[in-house]
Amino acid sequence: FGNDMAGGGKKRSDWNMHLLEDVAAPAYGRLLEIVAQEIGPCDLYFSFWPTAVGVEPWGLLVRRLYDFISEFELRVLYTRARARGGQWITTKQAIFPDYSFEKASELVDVLSDAGLPVVMMPKVLVEKFMEISSSLHFLTPQLLRRLLIRRKREFRDRSAMTLALEYCLLDLKSPIQSDDFYGLPLIPLSDGSFTKLEKRGLSERIFFAQGAGYDLLKDSVPHQLVDCNIPDFLHKKFCDIAESEDFNISFLTCPLLEKLFLRLLPADWQHARQVIWIPGSEGHPSLQWMGHLWNYLKSFCDDLSLFYKWPILPVENNHLLQLVKNSNVIKDGGWSENMCTLLLRVGCLILRRD
């Protein structure tokens, strides 16, 4: 064997190469197809697959084997895809797993359950197919996004969808190539549902908030609020998405919060100088909600005049007042009963302690 041969030696070398390429490799491929049906997708089955190229001409045999398996569509790869009921498929039907992802095995299970023909096979075989037949379908974040955007998939539970989302956002980096992500239907919301990642302005705004901001919205607009129970990795990705201002996900800001007051507070409170407040009843905000509001304003609002239309200042005797400059509302200083009575007589109102 060799390229430097001539005469009879070259003829014998060519004959041996044809035997390996046109007889041995196809025969071995057909054998793998039979073995697959006999013993199933186990370690013993995969041990029959050659992976080491070695010296020539045996490297030629290995390369031709992988080419033949793809070219002649031998059913030698197994998928547990629910839609397919679990079956042997060809390389052209298969999606090869991405073992660069640290949760690759869990992702294979999740995507198989969702009906995608991701195959179960050792990493070394995936690498060999990638080396020899790179035109096949190898799982990448971009490929998975395309598949999920193109067709709705049913995942087994919320954690499965979260794992798929984590993989889909793996290659999201600033500056974001926004067009690659529009339509991804895996954004987890506080009400337990999922929505699409879309271009800003084309759909309802989704808010991304933490702490007091999250607590303000979770009961009134949970369908517009990104779930706070997400892994740190996704938290960072959603921050990048919100910061880009290209998508329907926005950080909660004071101007946006003020616009939401029409949905968070009774509508007839707008422009009211003073209202009676019955916490937690008749659509009134609870005492806890009002505490979250003021914690949020303390942390994020430099200009309280944004909220001048709304009575949100809680005073004694179950009232809420509009925010105005030089008001007669004072903080309770622990005065005596007589002092409090005097202050009330001269027109002062006392801020609620709670």
Side-chain angles (χ1 to χ4, degrees):
F1 173 80
N3 294 325
D4 57 346
M5 304 185 73
K10 186 176 187 311
K11 290 181 180 180
R12 288 190 294 273
S13 175
D14 290 345
W15 173 255
N16 289 335
M17 289 175 61
H18 284 302
L19 283 177
L20 292 174
E21 286 187 296
D22 301 330
V23 179
Y28 201 91
R30 298 294 183 187
L31 175 64
L32 286 176
E33 195 171 37
I34 295 171
V35 172
Q37 300 295 329
E38 291 293 326
I39 65 177
C42 57
D43 290 342
L44 177 60
Y45 167 66
F46 290 117
S47 71
F48 287 103
W49 285 71
T51 55
V53 172
V55 297
E56 300 297 353
W58 305 115
L60 178 69
L61 172 63
V62 173
R63 288 190 295 272
R64 179 54 185 156
L65 170 64
Y66 283 80
D67 279 338
F68 181 83
I69 286 172
S70 298
E71 182 181 349
F72 286 85
E73 301 186 6
L74 303 189
R75 297 180 179 276
V76 292
L77 303 180
Y78 189 79
T79 177
R80 289 196 306 102
R82 184 174 59 196
R84 298 173 182 270
Q87 64 177 318
W88 293 96
I89 60 175
T90 70
T91 58
K92 293 179 181 177
Q93 295 172 310
I95 299 174
F96 291 83
D98 178 6
Y99 282 106
S100 68
F101 183 51
E102 62 180 8
K103 302 174 185 176
S105 296
E106 297 96 314
L107 185 63
V108 168
D109 289 340
V110 162
L111 298 183
S112 296
D113 283 346
L116 289 169
V118 185
V119 292
M120 303 167 54
M121 63 190 312
K123 178 181 178 181
V124 65
L125 295 186
V126 175
E127 292 172 342
K128 188 58 63 177
F129 271 110
M130 187 174 292
E131 172 190 334
I132 297 173
S133 302
S134 59
S135 62
L136 299 174
H137 301 300
F138 297 92
L139 188 64
T140 64
Q142 184 179 38
L143 173 61
L144 182 56
R145 287 195 302 269
R146 286 205 309 265
L147 293 173
L148 296 179
I149 291 169
R150 185 185 307 159
R151 175 184 167 189
K152 183 179 180 181
R153 297 282 174 175
E154 295 294 333
F155 288 85
R156 64 188 178 210
D157 55 30
R158 194 170 183 81
S159 63
M161 294 187 76
T162 300
L163 180 61
L165 175 61
E166 185 175 341
Y167 183 73
C168 284
L169 299 185
L170 201 62
D171 61 348
L172 185 146
K173 295 179 177 63
S174 296
I176 300 174
Q177 301 299 314
S178 305
D179 290 342
D180 290 344
F181 296 86
Y182 292 144
L184 184 65
L186 295 178
I187 309 307
L189 301 177
S190 182
D191 66 352
S193 66
F194 289 78
T195 192
K196 291 182 180 181
L197 193 60
E198 295 190 291
K199 189 173 184 178
R200 180 160 296 189
L202 295 184
S203 63
E204 199 170 45
R205 190 188 298 268
I206 305 299
F207 296 98
F208 184 55
Q210 298 290 308
Y214 183 88
D215 291 330
L216 285 173
L217 305 185
K218 66 179 182 180
D219 294 324
S220 299
V221 288
H223 61 289
Q224 283 184 258
L225 182 62
V226 174
D227 186 7
C228 68
N229 298 310
I230 55 176
D232 291 342
F233 173 84
L234 288 182
H235 182 273
K236 173 63 170 62
K237 294 296 184 181
F238 280 125
C239 283
D240 293 339
I241 288 170
E243 285 173 357
S244 75
E245 299 185 352
D246 291 337
F247 299 92
N248 55 333
I249 295 181
S250 301
F251 289 119
L252 179 64
T253 63
C254 289
L256 290 176
L257 177 60
E258 193 276 332
K259 291 179 181 179
L260 283 170
F261 270 11
L262 281 171
R263 299 166 68 180
L264 302 177
L265 300 174
D268 58 1
W269 283 13
Q270 191 176 25
H271 301 296
R273 294 174 61 90
Q274 177 178 302
V275 296
I276 296 174
W277 176 34
I278 308 172
S281 300
E282 302 177 8
H284 292 195
S286 67
L287 193 63
Q288 185 181 36
W289 188 92
M290 195 61 71
H292 292 319
L293 172 62
W294 282 98
N295 283 333
Y296 178 83
L297 296 180
K298 179 181 177 181
S299 299
F300 299 104
C301 188
D302 296 326
D303 182 11
L304 291 176
S305 67
L306 286 169
F307 301 91
Y308 76 94
K309 298 178 183 177
W310 295 91
I312 57 173
L313 188 64
V315 296
E316 296 293 347
N317 298 322
N318 293 327
H319 282 78
L320 293 170
L321 305 180
Q322 273 187 347
L323 296 174
V324 296
K325 291 182 178 180
N326 303 317
S327 74
N328 56 349
V329 177
I330 59 177
K331 186 177 180 180
D332 189 343
W335 304 294
S336 66
E337 184 177 345
N338 289 337
M339 186 62 178
C340 289
T341 302
L342 178 61
L343 290 169
L344 292 174
R345 283 180 180 175
V346 298
C348 292
L349 296 170
I350 299 174
L351 199 65
R352 283 185 64 143
R353 290 183 178 184
D354 51 6

